Amino acid sequence: MLACHFKSVQSLNRINTGPAAPFLEGFVETLEARGYCDRTIRYHVGAVHHLCSWAADKSRSLSTFDDATFGLFLDHLPICRCLLTQRQKFIHHARFSVALFSPYLREIGILPPAKPKDLIPILASFHHWMLNHRGVKESTLKVYDRFIPSLLEM
């Protein structure tokens, strides 16, 4: 799969021998299944490779990552000396890459499942109803969750 997206032998060797190698084939398959284009997949693979290299340098296992650790990675990007991070686009795209990679790690069992937020009862009922009777997805409810609590306080 990776060979379809990276034409440079040096890039393939670097990615295939790095700490991210065990996760990249499956991650790329997930991105392809979701319809991501070739260029976007390359951006995400580069960011995930960088994330895993950073974790290895810090002697951190991906299985111990949480939102705070992913945040530490993103915080280090503006001061990182890697060639990739010298491009502002990379730093911008890395945020999205982390947002895609962390659920993938949960999906394959590297990270524990996300803890559900404690919802007020009426909001929990709304979630249940929207999921079961209206057919919305969790991602839609996350968007709603940004606005509904403030409306309930009115």
Side-chain angles (χ1 to χ4, degrees), residues 122-147:
I122 194 165
L123 195 54
S125 297
F126 174 73
H127 276 218
H128 176 76
W129 184 77
M130 291 297 284
L131 287 168
N132 295 311
H133 299 286
R134 302 301 299 163
V136 300
K137 300 208 178 228
E138 287 286 342
S139 58
T140 304
L141 290 175
K142 286 180 185 177
V143 173
Y144 292 171
D145 284 348
R146 287 187 253 166
F147 305 104

PDB file of all heavy atoms in Angstrom, residues 122-147:
ATOM      1  N   ILE A 122     -30.776  14.462  30.210  1.00  0.00           N
ATOM      2  CA  ILE A 122     -31.555  14.846  29.025  1.00  0.00           C
ATOM      3  C   ILE A 122     -30.705  14.775  27.761  1.00  0.00           C
ATOM      4  O   ILE A 122     -31.179  14.382  26.696  1.00  0.00           O
ATOM      5  CB  ILE A 122     -32.207  16.243  29.202  1.00  0.00           C
ATOM      6  CG1 ILE A 122     -33.264  16.438  28.113  1.00  0.00           C
ATOM      7  CG2 ILE A 122     -31.169  17.346  29.200  1.00  0.00           C
ATOM      8  CD1 ILE A 122     -34.206  17.584  28.384  1.00  0.00           C
ATOM      9  N   LEU A 123     -29.413  15.118  27.872  1.00  0.00           N
ATOM     10  CA  LEU A 123     -28.523  15.045  26.722  1.00  0.00           C
ATOM     11  C   LEU A 123     -28.237  13.594  26.352  1.00  0.00           C
ATOM     12  O   LEU A 123     -28.163  13.244  25.168  1.00  0.00           O
ATOM     13  CB  LEU A 123     -27.222  15.811  26.998  1.00  0.00           C
ATOM     14  CG  LEU A 123     -26.346  16.124  25.816  1.00  0.00           C
ATOM     15  CD1 LEU A 123     -27.107  16.850  24.719  1.00  0.00           C
ATOM     16  CD2 LEU A 123     -25.143  16.948  26.247  1.00  0.00           C
ATOM     17  N   ALA A 124     -28.110  12.731  27.358  1.00  0.00           N
ATOM     18  CA  ALA A 124     -27.914  11.300  27.099  1.00  0.00           C
ATOM     19  C   ALA A 124     -29.128  10.720  26.369  1.00  0.00           C
ATOM     20  O   ALA A 124     -28.983   9.927  25.436  1.00  0.00           O
ATOM     21  CB  ALA A 124     -27.653  10.553  28.399  1.00  0.00           C
ATOM     22  N   SER A 125     -30.313  11.130  26.777  1.00  0.00           N
ATOM     23  CA  SER A 125     -31.536  10.675  26.100  1.00  0.00           C
ATOM     24  C   SER A 125     -31.583  11.169  24.662  1.00  0.00           C
ATOM     25  O   SER A 125     -31.980  10.445  23.753  1.00  0.00           O
ATOM     26  CB  SER A 125     -32.779  11.170  26.840  1.00  0.00           C
ATOM     27  OG  SER A 125     -32.834  10.630  28.123  1.00  0.00           O
ATOM     28  N   PHE A 126     -31.170  12.419  24.467  1.00  0.00           N
ATOM     29  CA  PHE A 126     -31.120  12.993  23.124  1.00  0.00           C
ATOM     30  C   PHE A 126     -30.154  12.197  22.242  1.00  0.00           C
ATOM     31  O   PHE A 126     -30.474  11.858  21.105  1.00  0.00           O
ATOM     32  CB  PHE A 126     -30.701  14.464  23.212  1.00  0.00           C
ATOM     33  CG  PHE A 126     -30.489  15.122  21.876  1.00  0.00           C
ATOM     34  CD1 PHE A 126     -31.561  15.458  21.065  1.00  0.00           C
ATOM     35  CD2 PHE A 126     -29.200  15.401  21.431  1.00  0.00           C
ATOM     36  CE1 PHE A 126     -31.368  16.064  19.836  1.00  0.00           C
ATOM     37  CE2 PHE A 126     -28.998  16.015  20.204  1.00  0.00           C
ATOM     38  CZ  PHE A 126     -30.083  16.336  19.403  1.00  0.00           C
ATOM     39  N   HIS A 127     -28.974  11.868  22.775  1.00  0.00           N
ATOM     40  CA  HIS A 127     -27.989  11.061  22.031  1.00  0.00           C
ATOM     41  C   HIS A 127     -28.597   9.723  21.627  1.00  0.00           C
ATOM     42  O   HIS A 127     -28.488   9.309  20.468  1.00  0.00           O
ATOM     43  CB  HIS A 127     -26.747  10.819  22.885  1.00  0.00           C
ATOM     44  CG  HIS A 127     -25.760  11.924  22.848  1.00  0.00           C
ATOM     45  ND1 HIS A 127     -24.419  11.700  22.845  1.00  0.00           N
ATOM     46  CD2 HIS A 127     -25.905  13.274  22.812  1.00  0.00           C
ATOM     47  CE1 HIS A 127     -23.773  12.846  22.821  1.00  0.00           C
ATOM     48  NE2 HIS A 127     -24.663  13.813  22.802  1.00  0.00           N
ATOM     49  N   HIS A 128     -29.210   9.065  22.586  1.00  0.00           N
ATOM     50  CA  HIS A 128     -29.809   7.747  22.319  1.00  0.00           C
ATOM     51  C   HIS A 128     -30.864   7.861  21.213  1.00  0.00           C
ATOM     52  O   HIS A 128     -30.877   7.047  20.276  1.00  0.00           O
ATOM     53  CB  HIS A 128     -30.428   7.192  23.605  1.00  0.00           C
ATOM     54  CG  HIS A 128     -31.130   5.897  23.400  1.00  0.00           C
ATOM     55  ND1 HIS A 128     -30.451   4.705  23.244  1.00  0.00           N
ATOM     56  CD2 HIS A 128     -32.448   5.598  23.293  1.00  0.00           C
ATOM     57  CE1 HIS A 128     -31.324   3.733  23.053  1.00  0.00           C
ATOM     58  NE2 HIS A 128     -32.542   4.245  23.088  1.00  0.00           N
ATOM     59  N   TRP A 129     -31.727   8.841  21.322  1.00  0.00           N
ATOM     60  CA  TRP A 129     -32.795   9.013  20.347  1.00  0.00           C
ATOM     61  C   TRP A 129     -32.230   9.331  18.957  1.00  0.00           C
ATOM     62  O   TRP A 129     -32.639   8.742  17.956  1.00  0.00           O
ATOM     63  CB  TRP A 129     -33.738  10.129  20.809  1.00  0.00           C
ATOM     64  CG  TRP A 129     -34.914  10.319  19.910  1.00  0.00           C
ATOM     65  CD1 TRP A 129     -36.039   9.544  19.836  1.00  0.00           C
ATOM     66  CD2 TRP A 129     -35.070  11.347  18.930  1.00  0.00           C
ATOM     67  NE1 TRP A 129     -36.893  10.033  18.865  1.00  0.00           N
ATOM     68  CE2 TRP A 129     -36.316  11.143  18.307  1.00  0.00           C
ATOM     69  CE3 TRP A 129     -34.286  12.415  18.530  1.00  0.00           C
ATOM     70  CZ2 TRP A 129     -36.794  11.978  17.300  1.00  0.00           C
ATOM     71  CZ3 TRP A 129     -34.753  13.249  17.523  1.00  0.00           C
ATOM     72  CH2 TRP A 129     -36.003  13.015  16.920  1.00  0.00           C
ATOM     73  N   MET A 130     -31.254  10.240  18.889  1.00  0.00           N
ATOM     74  CA  MET A 130     -30.672  10.617  17.598  1.00  0.00           C
ATOM     75  C   MET A 130     -29.956   9.436  16.936  1.00  0.00           C
ATOM     76  O   MET A 130     -30.044   9.249  15.720  1.00  0.00           O
ATOM     77  CB  MET A 130     -29.700  11.788  17.760  1.00  0.00           C
ATOM     78  CG  MET A 130     -30.379  13.105  18.114  1.00  0.00           C
ATOM     79  SD  MET A 130     -31.502  13.701  16.834  1.00  0.00           S
ATOM     80  CE  MET A 130     -30.340  14.338  15.640  1.00  0.00           C
ATOM     81  N   LEU A 131     -29.263   8.637  17.747  1.00  0.00           N
ATOM     82  CA  LEU A 131     -28.531   7.485  17.197  1.00  0.00           C
ATOM     83  C   LEU A 131     -29.485   6.402  16.714  1.00  0.00           C
ATOM     84  O   LEU A 131     -29.312   5.829  15.636  1.00  0.00           O
ATOM     85  CB  LEU A 131     -27.585   6.898  18.246  1.00  0.00           C
ATOM     86  CG  LEU A 131     -26.335   7.713  18.559  1.00  0.00           C
ATOM     87  CD1 LEU A 131     -25.667   7.168  19.813  1.00  0.00           C
ATOM     88  CD2 LEU A 131     -25.370   7.689  17.390  1.00  0.00           C
ATOM     89  N   ASN A 132     -30.502   6.114  17.510  1.00  0.00           N
ATOM     90  CA  ASN A 132     -31.374   4.977  17.216  1.00  0.00           C
ATOM     91  C   ASN A 132     -32.570   5.289  16.332  1.00  0.00           C
ATOM     92  O   ASN A 132     -33.050   4.412  15.618  1.00  0.00           O
ATOM     93  CB  ASN A 132     -31.859   4.344  18.522  1.00  0.00           C
ATOM     94  CG  ASN A 132     -30.711   3.739  19.289  1.00  0.00           C
ATOM     95  OD1 ASN A 132     -29.918   2.991  18.729  1.00  0.00           O
ATOM     96  ND2 ASN A 132     -30.590   4.101  20.553  1.00  0.00           N
ATOM     97  N   HIS A 133     -33.070   6.507  16.390  1.00  0.00           N
ATOM     98  CA  HIS A 133     -34.281   6.823  15.639  1.00  0.00           C
ATOM     99  C   HIS A 133     -34.053   7.767  14.464  1.00  0.00           C
ATOM    100  O   HIS A 133     -34.858   7.788  13.543  1.00  0.00           O
ATOM    101  CB  HIS A 133     -35.346   7.414  16.569  1.00  0.00           C
ATOM    102  CG  HIS A 133     -35.742   6.474  17.656  1.00  0.00           C
ATOM    103  ND1 HIS A 133     -36.540   5.379  17.442  1.00  0.00           N
ATOM    104  CD2 HIS A 133     -35.405   6.447  18.970  1.00  0.00           C
ATOM    105  CE1 HIS A 133     -36.707   4.718  18.567  1.00  0.00           C
ATOM    106  NE2 HIS A 133     -36.014   5.335  19.514  1.00  0.00           N
ATOM    107  N   ARG A 134     -32.995   8.530  14.502  1.00  0.00           N
ATOM    108  CA  ARG A 134     -32.725   9.470  13.418  1.00  0.00           C
ATOM    109  C   ARG A 134     -31.540   9.046  12.559  1.00  0.00           C
ATOM    110  O   ARG A 134     -31.277   9.620  11.527  1.00  0.00           O
ATOM    111  CB  ARG A 134     -32.499  10.893  13.960  1.00  0.00           C
ATOM    112  CG  ARG A 134     -33.666  11.432  14.768  1.00  0.00           C
ATOM    113  CD  ARG A 134     -34.956  11.478  13.998  1.00  0.00           C
ATOM    114  NE  ARG A 134     -34.846  12.336  12.836  1.00  0.00           N
ATOM    115  CZ  ARG A 134     -35.672  12.326  11.817  1.00  0.00           C
ATOM    116  NH1 ARG A 134     -36.694  11.519  11.802  1.00  0.00           N
ATOM    117  NH2 ARG A 134     -35.485  13.135  10.795  1.00  0.00           N
ATOM    118  N   GLY A 135     -30.758   8.076  13.034  1.00  0.00           N
ATOM    119  CA  GLY A 135     -29.666   7.534  12.239  1.00  0.00           C
ATOM    120  C   GLY A 135     -28.443   8.428  12.107  1.00  0.00           C
ATOM    121  O   GLY A 135     -27.665   8.252  11.176  1.00  0.00           O
ATOM    122  N   VAL A 136     -28.264   9.364  13.036  1.00  0.00           N
ATOM    123  CA  VAL A 136     -27.071  10.209  12.951  1.00  0.00           C
ATOM    124  C   VAL A 136     -25.853   9.428  13.442  1.00  0.00           C
ATOM    125  O   VAL A 136     -25.976   8.396  14.093  1.00  0.00           O
ATOM    126  CB  VAL A 136     -27.212  11.527  13.757  1.00  0.00           C
ATOM    127  CG1 VAL A 136     -28.373  12.349  13.265  1.00  0.00           C
ATOM    128  CG2 VAL A 136     -27.325  11.258  15.229  1.00  0.00           C
ATOM    129  N   LYS A 137     -24.698   9.936  13.147  1.00  0.00           N
ATOM    130  CA  LYS A 137     -23.442   9.299  13.565  1.00  0.00           C
ATOM    131  C   LYS A 137     -22.887  10.032  14.781  1.00  0.00           C
ATOM    132  O   LYS A 137     -23.275  11.154  15.083  1.00  0.00           O
ATOM    133  CB  LYS A 137     -22.430   9.335  12.423  1.00  0.00           C
ATOM    134  CG  LYS A 137     -22.928   8.613  11.194  1.00  0.00           C
ATOM    135  CD  LYS A 137     -21.795   8.093  10.406  1.00  0.00           C
ATOM    136  CE  LYS A 137     -22.372   7.335   9.230  1.00  0.00           C
ATOM    137  NZ  LYS A 137     -21.824   6.092   9.023  1.00  0.00           N
ATOM    138  N   GLU A 138     -21.956   9.356  15.462  1.00  0.00           N
ATOM    139  CA  GLU A 138     -21.311   9.943  16.640  1.00  0.00           C
ATOM    140  C   GLU A 138     -20.655  11.278  16.302  1.00  0.00           C
ATOM    141  O   GLU A 138     -20.671  12.202  17.108  1.00  0.00           O
ATOM    142  CB  GLU A 138     -20.257   8.984  17.206  1.00  0.00           C
ATOM    143  CG  GLU A 138     -20.828   7.775  17.914  1.00  0.00           C
ATOM    144  CD  GLU A 138     -21.411   8.103  19.284  1.00  0.00           C
ATOM    145  OE1 GLU A 138     -21.090   9.165  19.850  1.00  0.00           O
ATOM    146  OE2 GLU A 138     -22.196   7.282  19.781  1.00  0.00           O
ATOM    147  N   SER A 139     -20.061  11.371  15.115  1.00  0.00           N
ATOM    148  CA  SER A 139     -19.378  12.609  14.736  1.00  0.00           C
ATOM    149  C   SER A 139     -20.358  13.781  14.681  1.00  0.00           C
ATOM    150  O   SER A 139     -20.015  14.903  15.041  1.00  0.00           O
ATOM    151  CB  SER A 139     -18.660  12.438  13.406  1.00  0.00           C
ATOM    152  OG  SER A 139     -19.574  12.054  12.400  1.00  0.00           O
ATOM    153  N   THR A 140     -21.593  13.525  14.250  1.00  0.00           N
ATOM    154  CA  THR A 140     -22.606  14.580  14.215  1.00  0.00           C
ATOM    155  C   THR A 140     -22.981  14.994  15.623  1.00  0.00           C
ATOM    156  O   THR A 140     -23.114  16.193  15.922  1.00  0.00           O
ATOM    157  CB  THR A 140     -23.857  14.096  13.451  1.00  0.00           C
ATOM    158  OG1 THR A 140     -23.465  13.672  12.154  1.00  0.00           O
ATOM    159  CG2 THR A 140     -24.905  15.193  13.354  1.00  0.00           C
ATOM    160  N   LEU A 141     -23.097  14.024  16.511  1.00  0.00           N
ATOM    161  CA  LEU A 141     -23.430  14.352  17.894  1.00  0.00           C
ATOM    162  C   LEU A 141     -22.330  15.160  18.572  1.00  0.00           C
ATOM    163  O   LEU A 141     -22.606  16.016  19.414  1.00  0.00           O
ATOM    164  CB  LEU A 141     -23.716  13.071  18.688  1.00  0.00           C
ATOM    165  CG  LEU A 141     -25.017  12.355  18.317  1.00  0.00           C
ATOM    166  CD1 LEU A 141     -25.140  11.045  19.072  1.00  0.00           C
ATOM    167  CD2 LEU A 141     -26.215  13.247  18.592  1.00  0.00           C
ATOM    168  N   LYS A 142     -21.091  14.906  18.190  1.00  0.00           N
ATOM    169  CA  LYS A 142     -19.992  15.699  18.758  1.00  0.00           C
ATOM    170  C   LYS A 142     -20.138  17.167  18.362  1.00  0.00           C
ATOM    171  O   LYS A 142     -19.853  18.057  19.159  1.00  0.00           O
ATOM    172  CB  LYS A 142     -18.644  15.153  18.293  1.00  0.00           C
ATOM    173  CG  LYS A 142     -18.258  13.867  18.972  1.00  0.00           C
ATOM    174  CD  LYS A 142     -16.914  13.382  18.471  1.00  0.00           C
ATOM    175  CE  LYS A 142     -16.589  12.026  19.069  1.00  0.00           C
ATOM    176  NZ  LYS A 142     -15.331  11.495  18.537  1.00  0.00           N
ATOM    177  N   VAL A 143     -20.571  17.407  17.140  1.00  0.00           N
ATOM    178  CA  VAL A 143     -20.803  18.787  16.712  1.00  0.00           C
ATOM    179  C   VAL A 143     -21.951  19.384  17.516  1.00  0.00           C
ATOM    180  O   VAL A 143     -21.859  20.513  18.018  1.00  0.00           O
ATOM    181  CB  VAL A 143     -21.093  18.855  15.195  1.00  0.00           C
ATOM    182  CG1 VAL A 143     -21.508  20.253  14.777  1.00  0.00           C
ATOM    183  CG2 VAL A 143     -19.887  18.379  14.401  1.00  0.00           C
ATOM    184  N   TYR A 144     -23.026  18.627  17.665  1.00  0.00           N
ATOM    185  CA  TYR A 144     -24.169  19.108  18.431  1.00  0.00           C
ATOM    186  C   TYR A 144     -23.784  19.397  19.879  1.00  0.00           C
ATOM    187  O   TYR A 144     -24.287  20.342  20.479  1.00  0.00           O
ATOM    188  CB  TYR A 144     -25.297  18.082  18.419  1.00  0.00           C
ATOM    189  CG  TYR A 144     -25.984  17.865  17.089  1.00  0.00           C
ATOM    190  CD1 TYR A 144     -26.876  16.832  16.931  1.00  0.00           C
ATOM    191  CD2 TYR A 144     -25.747  18.689  15.998  1.00  0.00           C
ATOM    192  CE1 TYR A 144     -27.524  16.613  15.724  1.00  0.00           C
ATOM    193  CE2 TYR A 144     -26.381  18.479  14.786  1.00  0.00           C
ATOM    194  CZ  TYR A 144     -27.275  17.438  14.658  1.00  0.00           C
ATOM    195  OH  TYR A 144     -27.903  17.240  13.473  1.00  0.00           O
ATOM    196  N   ASP A 145     -22.906  18.580  20.439  1.00  0.00           N
ATOM    197  CA  ASP A 145     -22.521  18.730  21.844  1.00  0.00           C
ATOM    198  C   ASP A 145     -21.841  20.062  22.123  1.00  0.00           C
ATOM    199  O   ASP A 145     -21.779  20.501  23.269  1.00  0.00           O
ATOM    200  CB  ASP A 145     -21.605  17.591  22.284  1.00  0.00           C
ATOM    201  CG  ASP A 145     -22.361  16.294  22.510  1.00  0.00           C
ATOM    202  OD1 ASP A 145     -23.611  16.330  22.556  1.00  0.00           O
ATOM    203  OD2 ASP A 145     -21.709  15.247  22.645  1.00  0.00           O
ATOM    204  N   ARG A 146     -21.314  20.689  21.095  1.00  0.00           N
ATOM    205  CA  ARG A 146     -20.690  21.994  21.305  1.00  0.00           C
ATOM    206  C   ARG A 146     -21.733  23.083  21.557  1.00  0.00           C
ATOM    207  O   ARG A 146     -21.431  24.094  22.173  1.00  0.00           O
ATOM    208  CB  ARG A 146     -19.845  22.387  20.096  1.00  0.00           C
ATOM    209  CG  ARG A 146     -18.571  21.585  19.997  1.00  0.00           C
ATOM    210  CD  ARG A 146     -17.714  22.127  18.887  1.00  0.00           C
ATOM    211  NE  ARG A 146     -17.765  21.169  17.797  1.00  0.00           N
ATOM    212  CZ  ARG A 146     -17.366  21.397  16.562  1.00  0.00           C
ATOM    213  NH1 ARG A 146     -16.888  22.561  16.238  1.00  0.00           N
ATOM    214  NH2 ARG A 146     -17.433  20.469  15.651  1.00  0.00           N
ATOM    215  N   PHE A 147     -22.951  22.881  21.082  1.00  0.00           N
ATOM    216  CA  PHE A 147     -23.956  23.936  21.136  1.00  0.00           C
ATOM    217  C   PHE A 147     -25.112  23.631  22.082  1.00  0.00           C
ATOM    218  O   PHE A 147     -25.645  24.544  22.700  1.00  0.00           O
ATOM    219  CB  PHE A 147     -24.523  24.186  19.731  1.00  0.00           C
ATOM    220  CG  PHE A 147     -23.462  24.489  18.725  1.00  0.00           C
ATOM    221  CD1 PHE A 147     -23.068  23.540  17.800  1.00  0.00           C
ATOM    222  CD2 PHE A 147     -22.828  25.726  18.717  1.00  0.00           C
ATOM    223  CE1 PHE A 147     -22.073  23.811  16.872  1.00  0.00           C
ATOM    224  CE2 PHE A 147     -21.837  26.013  17.802  1.00  0.00           C
ATOM    225  CZ  PHE A 147     -21.443  25.046  16.875  1.00  0.00           C
TER     226      PHE A 147
END
